[in-house]
Amino acid sequence: MALINENYLQLPGNYLFSEIARRINKYKEEHPGAEIIRLGIGDVTQPLVPAVIDAFQKAVTELGDAKTFRGYGPEQGYSFLINKIIEHDYRPLGVELDEDEIFVSDGAKCDTGNIQEIFGLDNIIAVTDPVYPVYVDSNVMAGRSGKLGVDGKYQKIVYLPCTEANGLKPELPKTKVDLIYLCFPNNPTGMTLTKEELKRWVDYARANQAIILFDAAYEAYIQEKGIPHSIYEVEGAKEVAIEFRSYSKTAGFTGTRCAFTVVPKSVVAYDSTGKAHPLNKLWLRRQTTKFNGVSYPVQVAATAIYTDEGKEQIKKVIAYYMTNAQIIREGLQKLGFKIYGGINAPYIWLKTPGNLSSWDFFDKLLNEVQIVGTPGSGFGPSGEGYFRLTAFGSRENTEKAMERLQNISI
Ligand SMILES: *Cc1c(COP(=O)(O)O)cnc(C)c1O
């Protein structure tokens, strides 16, 4: 008899996005012809930039000729891309990395989901609340979470609430934890940490022999000076942090798929006898066993992002989204909403008016002004009473949504 991994039974159904779809469909049935504006999407909408397309096409053509054809590449990624990452993403920040500290992959979702495999099952996990669900669910699947309580929290996971009370910035855990997932700029709140704030986490990790799993998927959206683009800008982070980056939001690669993870050779965790082991070696072993690399044309396309042309072009796309974010921020502020984010991230996190629940506010927006966003409660218990809007829509829809919002009754 084949037995299942019973940890999967601890997962709740994928309720959030299916429930959103259900409510939209119901509304459409009752109001045929209604024009719904979606500001809930976490996906980009602008096309790949010309520099990327050009490089992509040339690389595809190479594969059609026996003289330039390529089969399997290195599992960790081609040197031509890794060297651009070192030179353009890290050296300007004063961060020196070796080639074998960077692992190119097909997504930060898989890497943030898979990284837990190299850690023991007895580690205590800490996550911010609200949170990107992948960090929690991947640990549930592995059996690190314990049971889901009626409060919406897994018994063994330490939740770090990010609410109005702490300005949506997580406080250090009160009990000892071993693995800490941090994402800044944050999805869903759009908040960032200063270097000093991030340093407290690095110091905590160093003092407690803990590891920080730092998701920097939205690094390219940082507009203000003084916000760290990489955790390695913080002194000592190279001993305790793994960093995840992705071209998905940076350069519209959500469908093209390319990302990378940085595992400095100086980051160690311990075996049961207390002996230190470099995590770089474990991740290399994991990737070379279970992953066969990102396709050649995609890595060539990603490399084009680092040309002068490519940089210029993706900067414009990010500026387009960030103008949307500003339009949303201003529109909401004019109406008296309490809002967060949207300055260094494409997400705007708002407090629902009149203490409405996240879902009640979802229904109100849909029914009164036909705008769809994402209920904050879908990102964790502390997201209740909040709501996420994104800047990834078109300019036209973003402006139209803010006009319509003026007719909402609050
Ligand atoms: C979109 C997103 C990613 C990127 O995932 P990919 O698999 O690289 O597309 C990673 N982390 C967070 C928090 C995200 O929102």
Side-chain angles (χ1 to χ4, degrees), residues 107-110 132 135 183 187 215 217-218 246 248-249 257 259 347:
K109 183 182 191 175
C110 14
Y132 181 57
Y135 317 146
C183 172
N187 175 12
D215 187 342
Y218 296 94
S246 171
S248 284
K249 317 300 167 24
R257 312 304 306 145
Y347 296 118

